[in-house]
């Protein structure tokens, strides 16, 4: 397999990891949150934070690097609107994802404190959970549209 195909494979796999890990961890976090059980939330959030560092973060780094190299290899330019739209949506997803990572860490810590002290989840946890939920929608939506743009490469 030549370097272009290897790079394309890496680019596709990293996109799958971003979406798949994001969807899986969001589902787990949401289900734990719905339980309102601080010990459950603490354990799940601990794993979600680790998954973001181990899987999502490397994929988030690989994605734009491989994408830029692939675009250059194929001869796409920044005048191709599908490409600029993809980059803009990637930035939007990142602007949403970075606070989500911080919120997950904060939610984990608040849930851990509540579980250890046998107190209910504090209002700060509930505010973090609401922001986490709200920021997840545009991030996932952006990733879905990016995947569509990568596949279709429409003339916009």
């Amino acid at each position: 397999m030549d370097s272009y195909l290897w790079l394309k494979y890496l680019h596709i796999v990293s996109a799958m990891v971003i979406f798949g890990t994001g969807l899986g961890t969001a589902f787990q976090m949401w289900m734990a949150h719905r339980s309102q059980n601080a010990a459950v939330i603490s354990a799940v959030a601990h794993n979600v934070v680790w998954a973001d560092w181990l899987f999502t973060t490397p994929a988030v780094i690989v994605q734009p690097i491989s994408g830029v190299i692939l675009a250059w290899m194929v001869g796409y330019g920044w005048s191709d609107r599908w490409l600029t739209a993809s980059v803009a949506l990637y930035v939007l997803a990142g602007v949403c994802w970075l606070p989500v990572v911080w919120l997950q860490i904060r939610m984990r810590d608040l849930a851990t404190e509540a579980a250890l002290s046998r107190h209910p989840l504090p209002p700060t946890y509930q505010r973090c959970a609401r922001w986490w939920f709200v920021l997840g929608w545009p991030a996932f939506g952006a990733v879905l549209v990016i995947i569509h743009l990568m596949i279709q490469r429409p003339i916009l």
Side-chain angles (χ1 to χ4, degrees), residues 43-64:
V44 169
H46 177 81
N47 291 335
V48 165
V49 169
W50 270 107
D52 266 346
W53 290 119
L54 293 173
F55 305 113
T56 310
T57 299
V60 164
I61 293 167
V62 165
Q63 191 68 41

Side-chain angles (χ1 to χ4, degrees), residues 38 42 106-120 122:
S42 173
R106 184 76 175 121
M107 290 163 70
R108 176 201 63 196
D109 294 347
L110 290 166
T112 300
E113 289 172 24
L116 291 174
S117 67
R118 299 187 191 277
H119 288 106

Side-chain angles (χ1 to χ4, degrees), residues 8-143:
K8 187 173 182 179
Y9 178 80
L10 180 65
H11 189 69
I12 291 168
V13 168
S14 68
M16 291 168 43
V17 168
I18 289 169
F19 184 75
T21 304
L23 187 61
T25 57
F27 175 77
Q28 291 298 317
M29 194 73 167
W30 177 247
M31 295 307 287
H33 168 73
R34 287 185 56 203
S35 78
Q36 289 297 296
N37 181 321
V40 169
I41 294 166
S42 173
V44 169
H46 177 81
N47 291 335
V48 165
V49 169
W50 270 107
D52 266 346
W53 290 119
L54 293 173
F55 305 113
T56 310
T57 299
V60 164
I61 293 167
V62 165
Q63 191 68 41
I65 294 169
S66 60
V68 167
I69 296 169
L70 283 168
W72 174 78
M73 289 174 89
V74 173
Y76 294 124
W78 295 112
S79 62
D80 292 305
R81 289 188 177 157
W82 72 268
L83 185 57
T84 55
S86 295
V87 171
L89 288 166
Y90 194 79
V91 169
L92 171 65
V95 165
C96 293
W97 180 67
L98 288 172
V100 161
V101 171
W102 179 83
L103 288 165
Q104 290 171 168
I105 292 168
R106 184 76 175 121
M107 290 163 70
R108 176 201 63 196
D109 294 347
L110 290 166
T112 300
E113 289 172 24
L116 291 174
S117 67
R118 299 187 191 277
H119 288 106
L121 293 162
T124 303
Y125 169 85
Q126 303 300 340
R127 278 193 301 279
C128 289
R130 278 191 299 276
W131 277 108
W132 174 85
F133 185 80
V134 167
L135 289 168
W137 287 103
F140 275 115
V143 170

